Amino acid sequence: MARRPLPRVLSKGSAQLARSRELARTAADSATDVLHPLITIARGLRRLASAGRRRWVATPKDKRGALLFLVASVVLVVTLAPYGPLLAVTALMATAAWQGRDRAPSAPDGPDEAQVQRLKSLYEALVPYFSTAEDPEPLYAHGGDWEDAFPEYDFDGTGRVTHLVINYPAYFTDGEPESRARIEHLLSAKSGRGREYHFAWDEEGNQLTVRVLAPLPTDIAAQPFVTSPGETVLGFTDPTRVRRTLPLTHGEERRDVPPVVWRTGIRSTEPHLLALGQPGSGTSTLLRSIALQALHHGDVVIVDGGGTGEYACLTGRDGVLAVECGLTGALASLEWAAQETERRLSAANRAHQAGDPPPEDTRRPLWILLDRPTAFTHLAAAEGREDPQSLLHVPLRHGRPANVTVVVADQLDSLETLSAPVRQHTRARVVLGPATTEQLETVLGAPPHTTPVDQVPAGRGYARLGAGPVHRLQVPATPDPYDDATSDAHRQAVLDLLPPRTTPAEDAAPSRPVPERPDTEALPVGSVLLDELPVDSVPLEKVPVEKVPVEKVPVEKVPVEKVPVEKVPVEKALPGRALPDEPSPAEADSEKVPAGAAVPEDTAAAEVPREAAVAESS
């Protein structure tokens, strides 16, 4: 079937519309050129009228009559003089044209002498890298023309380059990272140190665009971020590669800033994070910011290897399972975390096999935050104990399906001390503080597209999530609210985000696994087990128990008449008897047991001890 041609209006409508738009634009430009004198005179008359009105308002009321008489006299003289009105109108038009002229300073046609000299120095510095002896028409040559090499350029008020487009020959090896790194280092050194430059390589067009990046905002405090469950804001970056923005508040001001969002959970490709930096670079601030965001939808376990009390504000808070600063507590908490991960996996697997949704307790995210775990490595080796990093293998390897997320923060020089599972399973990376390009490439896996600087504020660095691009990062200010150096605004911002304290700080303890009770066969020979009674109804200080703790003894029912009781010396009190100067155990128990407490009938009738008695050989 033949295709019918489109109607003529539809096929040629776009061309006619474009032609009409071009004609209208040309007519408007021509009219503006023709009417430009009239526009200038009208603008001048308006300015003269405004000046006259201001003069009339500024004149005192008692002198306005004399001013009106003077103006009327001038008008009368001009009217009676030969050619007076014509000369007056000509003078008024000339004055209006002068007052209505465009007073904006005209932009210079090209760079000044200082800027030309700076461009020439950049051109001469690039000659050894962008020229060869075999090139018949070299674009770069000593003493050559720099205008063809730099088609676009901008300068700031101090005369330094802020934007520069560089043409380079096609035979330059722009696909090799080493060649790019040499050019970027040269341009950052010649254009001015102390600033961050962004380099955009156009390999198809053989152009390099250099742009100076504005400093990232450092005044963004911790606050509730508009994110969905499973999204964590690591910080903020440039709008060059991030299309999403978050509404933030800074005092009474509201603004939109592009964030670096880290997605965790079952469908995350980067479920765990590793943050490295120099001392004082802000890694602890990053962990506090992550903890405050994680407490909205999950539970948190914190292990502080530095032992400086950076996380004391989180102790006993709702959702904080433990805040450990010692080796023993760290081992217990991480062992529990490993067992909890296995329990979640087993529960979820049973639910999947039964065709049911996962249990509710396996859906709630569990966050394990470790600050400087390498500090425990040396301590554990000195004491001959297990390294806490070895307990992270299960949460790191199987944490994603169990909704367990591990975040490790340490110093940059301790990278080799971290265990292999930590380095292998933490694909989301953050580097804070000053670092060289080699260090950034080692940690992040790719070099940044900007030049790192030596002096950076706290919380400034780079982030890379998996195989994505490298972003500049500025962590929101989340200081320790108990630190005296913290400002009142930042302290209050952190305190407002803390969940309520449900457990006193001195009673807060991690939720650890309860050890199993030993079997009955493990009890010492000669032990006698009676009915189990409430522990708080027995005076523990008067129970003669040896070697076996009372709360760990399993209770079995044994007939009272079959209890082997041997005679002992008189000076030792037996269960059921009392020394002459001491009350009987029954009387002591009656004093300890509160009124209305239930007592087992068989025990009350037999009037025997309520705990295990150890028979001693005479």
Side-chain angles (χ1 to χ4, degrees):
M1 181 176 180
R3 300 180 62 182
R4 297 180 60 184
L6 292 174
R8 188 173 183 181
V9 176
L10 297 179
S11 61
K12 297 184 178 180
S14 58
Q16 293 179 357
L17 183 61
R19 191 181 303 108
S20 301
R21 188 183 296 110
E22 186 67 23
L23 291 175
R25 186 181 297 108
T26 304
D29 295 340
S30 301
T32 302
D33 295 339
V34 172
L35 299 177
H36 182 70
L38 296 179
I39 295 174
T40 303
I41 293 175
R43 188 188 304 118
L45 291 175
R46 186 177 67 252
R47 292 177 180 177
L48 289 175
S50 300
R53 182 177 179 278
R54 289 193 301 268
R55 180 61 185 274
W56 175 260
V57 172
T59 303
K61 293 183 179 180
D62 55 345
K63 297 183 179 180
R64 290 181 179 179
L67 181 61
L68 287 175
F69 179 76
L70 179 61
V71 172
S73 302
V74 171
V75 171
L76 181 61
V77 171
V78 170
T79 303
L80 297 178
Y83 305 102
L86 180 60
L87 294 177
V89 171
T90 303
L92 180 62
M93 293 297 103
T95 306
W98 176 257
Q99 291 293 331
R101 72 187 187 280
D102 189 6
R103 300 181 181 182
S106 58
D109 297 337
D112 54 14
E113 296 182 0
Q115 297 173 355
V116 170
Q117 186 63 31
R118 185 177 290 272
L119 292 175
K120 284 184 177 180
S121 64
L122 284 175
Y123 178 82
E124 293 293 335
L126 292 173
V127 168
Y129 302 94
F130 288 156
S131 63
T132 57
E134 294 80 7
D135 191 355
E137 297 180 358
L139 179 62
Y140 289 84
H142 293 289
D145 188 9
W146 58 267
E147 294 182 356
D148 296 337
F150 304 148
E152 298 179 11
Y153 46 83
D154 289 325
F155 295 86
D156 58 5
T158 60
R160 296 195 298 178
V161 177
T162 58
H163 177 75
L164 182 64
V165 178
I166 302 174
N167 293 327
Y168 58 88
Y171 52 79
F172 175 71
T173 56
D174 52 2
E176 299 179 0
E178 295 79 7
S179 302
R180 288 188 176 189
R182 288 193 296 266
I183 300 300
E184 293 174 359
H185 179 72
L186 173 65
L187 292 175
S188 61
K190 292 293 183 180
S191 300
R193 298 182 181 273
R195 299 184 300 175
E196 293 185 74
Y197 297 90
H198 180 267
F199 300 94
W201 292 83
D202 183 8
E203 300 179 1
E204 296 180 355
N206 298 324
Q207 281 190 345
L208 170 61
T209 303
V210 184
R211 185 169 55 90
V212 178
L213 296 176
L216 294 176
T218 58
D219 54 352
I220 299 178
Q223 56 189 282
F225 301 118
V226 184
T227 56
S228 60
E231 292 184 346
T232 303
V233 177
L234 300 179
F236 304 94
T237 184
D238 303 301
T240 54
R241 295 193 175 187
V242 177
R243 299 179 181 179
R244 177 180 177 181
T245 59
L246 287 181
L248 302 178
T249 58
H250 179 63
E252 298 180 355
E253 180 185 358
R254 296 185 62 88
R255 53 185 173 179
D256 296 336
V257 182
V260 178
V261 179
W262 174 39
R263 292 174 176 85
T264 58
I266 297 178
R267 294 176 177 83
S268 174
T269 57
E270 301 86 20
H272 309 296
L273 175 71
L274 174 61
L276 299 176
Q278 301 292 346
S281 58
T283 54
S284 299
T285 299
L286 176 61
L287 257 64
R288 269 191 301 270
S289 177
I290 293 176
L292 292 178
Q293 298 179 60
L295 288 175
H296 290 288
H297 307 285
D299 299 326
V300 176
V301 175
I302 301 176
V303 177
D304 183 11
T308 56
E310 293 281 343
Y311 310 94
C313 60
L314 297 171
T315 304
R317 301 286 179 177
D318 187 14
V320 180
L321 303 182
V323 179
E324 297 293 348
C325 299
L327 178 60
T328 303
L331 289 173
S333 298
L334 295 181
E335 182 179 359
W336 173 85
Q339 296 180 3
E340 175 66 12
T341 304
E342 296 176 352
R343 184 197 67 81
R344 292 187 174 205
L345 288 175
S346 300
N349 187 25
R350 288 193 299 268
H352 293 161
Q353 291 180 357
D356 299 330
E360 189 65 28
D361 57 349
T362 62
R363 297 180 183 179
R364 183 170 177 83
L366 175 62
W367 293 73
I368 305 174
L369 309 181
L370 296 94
D371 192 355
R372 293 196 63 192
T374 55
F376 289 128
T377 302
H378 304 285
L379 184 59
E383 297 182 3
R385 306 178 69 177
E386 186 179 8
D387 186 3
Q389 296 188 60
S390 62
L391 301 174
L392 294 175
H393 179 72
V394 174
L396 286 171
R397 185 176 181 84
H398 306 286
R400 184 175 64 87
N403 273 329
V404 178
T405 303
V406 180
V407 180
V408 180
D410 215 310
Q411 295 185 3
L412 193 58
D413 54 359
S414 302
L415 178 61
E416 300 298 332
T417 314
L418 294 173
S419 62
V422 173
R423 297 195 303 267
Q424 180 181 359
H425 295 286
T426 53
R427 300 184 67 250
R429 300 292 181 89
V430 173
V431 179
L432 300 180
T436 61
T437 306
E438 292 77 12
Q439 291 175 335
L440 293 174
E441 187 173 1
T442 301
V443 178
L444 302 177
H449 293 276
T450 61
T451 54
V453 295
D454 299 333
Q455 301 294 331
V456 293
R460 177 72 58 80
Y462 297 89
R464 190 188 185 200
L465 304 179
V470 180
H471 301 283
R472 283 204 310 167
L473 181 70
Q474 177 62 50
V475 179
T478 316
D480 182 11
Y482 297 159
D483 191 0
D484 297 337
T486 304
S487 62
D488 296 337
H490 290 170
R491 179 184 294 108
Q492 190 60 38
V494 175
L495 292 177
D496 292 342
L497 295 177
L498 289 175
R501 176 166 287 170
T502 56
T503 305
E506 61 271 8
D507 297 337
S511 178
R512 302 170 185 169
V514 180
E516 299 181 356
R517 288 186 172 184
D519 297 335
T520 307
E521 291 76 4
L523 296 176
V525 180
S527 299
V528 179
L529 303 179
L530 300 180
D531 293 344
E532 182 180 3
L533 295 180
V535 178
D536 51 353
S537 64
V538 181
L540 298 179
E541 64 275 3
K542 295 185 179 295
V543 178
V545 180
E546 298 179 6
K547 296 184 180 180
V548 181
V550 176
E551 62 276 13
K552 296 184 179 181
V553 177
V555 179
E556 297 181 358
K557 291 188 176 181
V558 180
V560 178
E561 59 275 2
K562 294 184 180 181
V563 175
V565 180
E566 298 182 2
K567 294 182 180 181
V568 295
V570 179
E571 61 271 14
K572 293 187 179 181
L574 292 177
R577 298 183 181 181
L579 294 178
D581 298 336
E582 295 181 0
S584 62
E587 296 174 357
D589 295 345
S590 62
E591 295 175 0
K592 295 291 183 177
V593 176
V599 181
E601 297 179 1
D602 54 350
T603 308
E607 296 182 358
V608 295
R610 304 181 183 181
E611 293 294 335
V614 180
E616 300 179 359
S617 60
S618 59

